[in-house]
Amino acid sequence: MGHTLIDGVKTIVAITGASGTIYGIRLLEELEGDKYLIITETAKRILEAETDYKLADVESMADKVYHEDELFAPVASGSHRFDAMVICPCSESTLAKVSHGLADNLVTRAAAVCLKEGRKLIIVPRETPQSTVMLRNSLQLAQDGAVIMPASPGFYPRPQSIDDIVDFMVGKILDQLGQPHELFRRWGD
Ligand SMILES: Cc1cc2nc3c(=O)[nH]c(=O)nc-3n(C[C@H](O)[C@H](O)[C@H](O)COP(=O)(O)O)c2cc1C
């Protein structure tokens, strides 16, 4: 907070039920501006299984927290101003729904709002291997204007820890959002 560049920017962060919930948590820690958080029920269980974070601690990093069922929340409407949305990590289930225009919970509805309003939508899928169904869905979304950023950290900055590997991905997401950061050493620096 307190950084003039990002003041007034509102970003939705959705953590869905894919492995790699730590990416979403680190993004919340680093992201500036107003943060609206949605964690799906599956993601809550995965978060508990693969990190030491408590749900309440993660939720306290956001300015507002919504349940995935809150379809009457402000961010469900295009008339509510927010600037961008990052689904991180994004399950292939959520990705499939967004690519087909299904808006059955607050994550998929807010993503649909991004696409219809021309707002930045960043999707961080984590699944391997990828079926042709998954690849088709990602292609469709990329063609429809979303930024597809598979959780696929680079190793050229010579990471020394898991934190470094996570920070690489988070830094790449912040690059897409236009937020300056020093989360990894850039090639050539
Ligand atoms: C422990 C665990 C790990 C999972 N990891 C992934 C994953 O990495 N990628 C993925 O696409 N789905 C994964 N899934 C499956 C999704 O959680 C499942 O499709 C769920 O319906 C997604 O719902 P959501 O997108 O609404 O959170 C995982 C499920 C569990 C229980």
Side-chain angles (χ1 to χ4, degrees), residues 7-100:
D7 273 357
V9 173
K10 295 180 184 174
T11 308
I12 301 174
V13 175
I15 300 178
T16 67
S19 185
T21 51
I22 189 64
Y23 291 120
I25 296 168
R26 276 295 288 143
L27 177 64
L28 274 176
E29 281 176 341
E30 290 296 322
L31 188 63
E32 296 169 1
D34 281 355
K35 295 170 264 197
Y36 298 169
L37 174 64
I38 312 159
I39 309 182
T40 65
E41 284 304 306
T42 321
K44 288 175 187 172
R45 294 184 60 184
I46 296 177
L47 184 149
E48 201 176 280
E50 65 182 13
T51 79
D52 292 330
Y53 284 88
K54 297 280 170 241
L55 178 62
D57 297 333
V58 177
E59 290 184 340
S60 72
M61 296 171 191
D63 297 281
K64 289 201 174 80
V65 178
Y66 298 109
H67 190 270
E68 64 178 304
D69 288 342
E70 276 187 78
L71 276 161
F72 285 74
V75 293
S77 170
S79 66
H80 185 78
R81 196 188 68 77
F82 62 89
D83 300 281
M85 176 174 190
V86 188
I87 310 179
C88 176
C90 186
S91 77
E92 291 295 343
S93 172
T94 288
L95 188 151
K97 287 194 264 181
V98 176
S99 76
H100 286 79

